[in-house]
Amino acid sequence: MGYTTIQLAIDSGVATITLNRPEKRNAISYELIADLLAAMTEIAGSPALILILTGAGKAFCSGMDLENLKALTGRSPDQSLKDSEKMARLFRSLYDFPKPTIAAVNGAAIAGGCGLATLCDFTVAVPEAKFGYTEVRIGFVPAIVSTFLLRQIGEKHARDLLLTGRIIDAHEAHRMGLINEVVAPEKLMPRARELAAQLMENSPASLTSTKRLLSDYSREELDNQIQAAIRENANIRSTHDFREGVSSFLEKRKPQWSGK
């Protein structure tokens, strides 16, 4: 099927999704979410054995699209809840994808983009890549991704990244366990394909069963935590601080927080 915000190529057992909004630093729009979900469904039913996710241009994914971000302040509570559920579905679909996934991070992976990069089974990044969950800087809550992040890097590191909203480089991300490898830019896609080839030497049935087993270990707990996260994600959008944070970010000024 045709996609407008991504490119999908399937070759020699490897499906490659390229986020294809380079002029917007591959920012997450509602259309991009829909395209990613549809592409993952297509790949799951295809002969492809491995999924590689990367970005076009200089960024991997810079977070939410500015126009969509601006629109969030005018959404109704019911719309906010549906938006949160959609984002949760995207993250959960990637986390539970039945085939091994590799993120080839070619540049900045910020906020929701950081979630996409780190929810893959393997994350390979260039030294210039940046990572960060910057939601608190605009009065938002990194609710949905937090439950996955706790499992990946532990509570102390997760609290550091989520509460400060700071941006870290690829080497610190590697030290924290957020990513698997740091490779030179010219070796990024060759390394991702090399890893895909290594994975394809294993039994596809065994890989699928192992991924399902790993997901099942925490499924019930994740279900409960994500539902709570969806509610928190939606509720914060009705606050003054969220509206002020988004406005100040779009206007490129320092926010005036009220704590409400």
Side-chain angles (χ1 to χ4, degrees):
M1 60 181 295
Y3 300 101
T4 58
T5 64
I6 66 171
Q7 292 178 339
L8 173 60
I10 299 178
D11 180 54
S12 301
V14 179
T16 301
I17 293 177
T18 303
L19 307 180
N20 193 34
R21 305 184 74 213
E23 73 287 355
K24 299 288 188 179
R25 294 174 58 80
N26 300 320
I28 298 173
S29 63
Y30 297 125
E31 191 173 17
L32 178 67
I33 294 173
D35 277 352
L36 281 173
L37 287 169
M40 282 191 280
T41 298
E42 181 177 348
I43 294 165
S46 78
L49 301 173
I50 309 295
L51 165 60
I52 295 175
L53 178 63
T54 192
K58 295 182 178 181
F60 176 80
C61 178
S62 60
M64 180 157 282
D65 180 87
L66 292 182
E67 290 302 316
N68 286 175
L69 183 63
K70 183 178 180 180
L72 289 183
T73 58
R75 307 282 275 180
S76 69
D78 185 58
Q79 288 173 321
S80 292
L81 189 63
K82 285 182 168 58
D83 289 343
S84 299
E85 289 172 343
K86 189 176 296 184
M87 184 63 77
R89 182 184 168 206
L90 174 62
F91 285 165
R92 192 65 183 272
S93 295
L94 185 57
Y95 183 79
D96 287 335
F97 195 70
K99 302 173 182 184
T101 56
I102 302 166
V105 184
N106 55 301
I110 306 299
C114 194
L116 292 177
T118 57
L119 284 176
C120 290
D121 298 314
F122 302 88
T123 304
V124 183
V126 299
E128 297 79 11
K130 303 293 181 184
F131 299 86
Y133 298 96
T134 56
E135 285 86 346
V136 293
R137 293 186 179 186
I138 62 166
F140 203 38
V141 176
I144 296 168
V145 76
S146 64
T147 187
F148 299 105
L149 193 64
L150 283 168
R151 288 169 170 77
Q152 290 182 324
I153 61 175
E155 186 168 343
K156 206 68 174 178
H157 286 319
R159 284 177 180 268
D160 175 357
L161 296 180
L162 298 178
L163 293 175
T164 66
R166 69 189 181 95
I167 294 174
I168 61 175
D169 63 24
H171 292 289
E172 186 170 3
H174 183 249
R175 179 180 63 79
M176 283 185 170
L178 195 61
I179 67 176
N180 298 90
E181 296 180 45
V182 181
V183 299
E186 67 274 12
K187 295 182 179 179
L188 180 65
M189 291 309 294
R191 175 57 185 141
R193 294 189 185 98
E194 178 184 39
L195 181 54
Q198 180 183 350
L199 289 165
M200 286 192 292
E201 292 178 0
N202 301 323
S203 159
S206 294
L207 289 174
T208 299
S209 294
T210 301
K211 285 212 61 176
R212 183 170 58 246
L213 182 66
L214 291 170
S215 291
D216 285 348
Y217 284 144
S218 56
R219 188 174 303 281
E220 184 176 353
E221 185 179 19
L222 267 177
D223 286 343
N224 293 331
Q225 290 177 343
I226 288 174
Q227 285 306 309
I230 287 171
R231 292 192 297 271
E232 196 65 40
N233 187 291
N235 290 340
I236 197 69
R237 302 184 192 196
S238 65
T239 65
H240 176 274
D241 271 6
F242 174 69
R243 291 191 292 273
E244 168 61 13
V246 172
S247 295
S248 63
F249 177 74
L250 295 173
E251 295 166 10
K252 299 182 179 180
R253 60 174 174 82
K254 188 173 182 179
Q256 300 295 317
W257 302 122
S258 68
K260 298 178 182 179

